[in-house]
Amino acid sequence: MEPDDIAALENSNTQNAEIVSILGSFQKRNLSMFSFPELDRNSSRARLWKCLMQLLSTPLPEQLLKEILGCLRILGRDKKGLDDIICVQHIDLLLKHAGIVSQEEAIKLINEKENFEVNLEALKCLSNIVFNSPKAQKICGTNNTMEGILNRLRTYRDRSFPDELKYFDMKMLFLVTALHQDSRAQLKEELHGMTYLMELIDYEMSQAVGDPDYQGAVGGLHAPLNITNEQGQLLCEVLKVLFNICCKDKGLHLDEEAEAHGQRLVCILRDLLLASTSTPEKRLDLQNHTVNMLTAVPAPCLSFLVAPLPEKDNGNGVVEFEGSNMEAVAVLLHILQNKLDGAEEETSTQTECLAPILTVLIECARNHRILRKFLRLQILPPLKDTHRRPEEGNTIRNRLCKFLTSPYTQIKDLVAELLFILCKENVGRMIKYTGYGNAAGLLANRGLLAGRRDDDEGPNYSSESEDSDTEEYKKYRHEMNPVTGCWEPPRENPMDGMSEEQKEYEAVQLANLMAKLSNEGIVQPCRIGEDGRPQPVDHIMQLQEELPRQQVRASHPTEGDEDV
């Protein structure tokens, strides 16, 4: 903005029409700008903010009010000097124009006409300012911002608010709870945010179902849930706020209230997984936020992903397993497949892409028997393909096994954890499905390279089993290579026809080469210690001394390995 324009705004004699023209021109020129270096001269930035805030504090026509807020929204994109400019009075003034006030003030203003367009513009200003100013984050985290938003949220059912206004209400809640951590406990405990936010989701779902008497998702969906783009945007923002206030409490002891909240929330998330949207992109966005939210709920509550079987087909294609409706879990597996597709194409985003869905499936399998059984049937079905390595092919098992040797440690560990739990943490069974080479990293980390130790009873999985080995696997079981995890044709022994002297010469040559690699720091020879983990050796000849003790005891898995 030119110095003459700022001077005109500072002049109390300037007509409203001229101010509207100046501010309108500024907005047109800077619609896509995020920094304003021209305001660094002659304290122009501070002067402009000051005069706009002074104008905002006086009674103004609606058009001028919207132009001022539009300029402030654009100026709020620039972080430079924002902390020095913003103060409590500025935030309070914008909150007032946004309609975010305390309950007492809301009662006083109950008969005044609302201007949702001005409210929305003020909310957009606040969103930019809070995003870019740590000072504003602290102010909004300690004043009545969250209380005012919840006050308005409680009236959504009774009054007709624009979807965009509700969206920016939730966006403000998300920004405050994301950027000012101390506000999370206040929103959850003091303001009962969990209850109100879940009620908002229930209300939006009732609108999508077309049933005004819809009381939530505890009993499962009884009608198709078709979510509009606007509802989807709002629901995603609500889920982000819920994630912020729940993510730190996952490992804490559950009291009765927390358990009830967790169960209700999982029921809501289950229905959101089954919801349809106008475009595949919108559904993917909703599913991503739903999966993220599932990572933050208490693990015992994940059993509510399993719904009762409906009395009649609701059109969603029920996935029945042991008398239960597994539609939501089937959707999670479909999401996993899609994420695997994306991770293979974009290796740089593998962790961000796969970590949430793998975390959810791990918690499901670890804590709930029926979920583990269903997931194992889908991911590790009875082994028929014995002639290909576990990492070769397009099944979920094949694609997960590829990540067991991934350079991305977090994903490698999560995949290994999931597969190990589906194998009921049985070393032999893990080797059967993945191959010893692929499983070596997990076995080394857990001290299981030599199989489970006799004094280690292992986790408390059910012991009942049925024979699940296929005829194909039984036929080749004794010819399977446990390292590669597949059948290999017999190979000619390269030492056949050698004399004892030739064999000894080749052995010495091999030992010398290994010693050279070790001395140059290229490899580090190890042996399996008493704790089942690899331990470095000082000289490679130590490997020969303890060779009998280093044989892998888990040569073949148990035959009966049906999870129950």
Side-chain angles (χ1 to χ4, degrees), residues 75 103 107-108 271 500:
L75 290 170
Q103 192 166 3
I107 294 173
K108 294 177 184 177
D271 283 0
E500 293 301 319

Side-chain angles (χ1 to χ4, degrees), residues 68-85:
I68 294 171
L69 291 170
C71 286
L72 289 173
R73 171 175 54 82
I74 292 173
L75 290 170
R77 299 170 183 167
D78 192 350
K79 295 181 179 181
K80 192 169 185 179
L82 197 55
D83 270 356
D84 298 328
I85 294 169

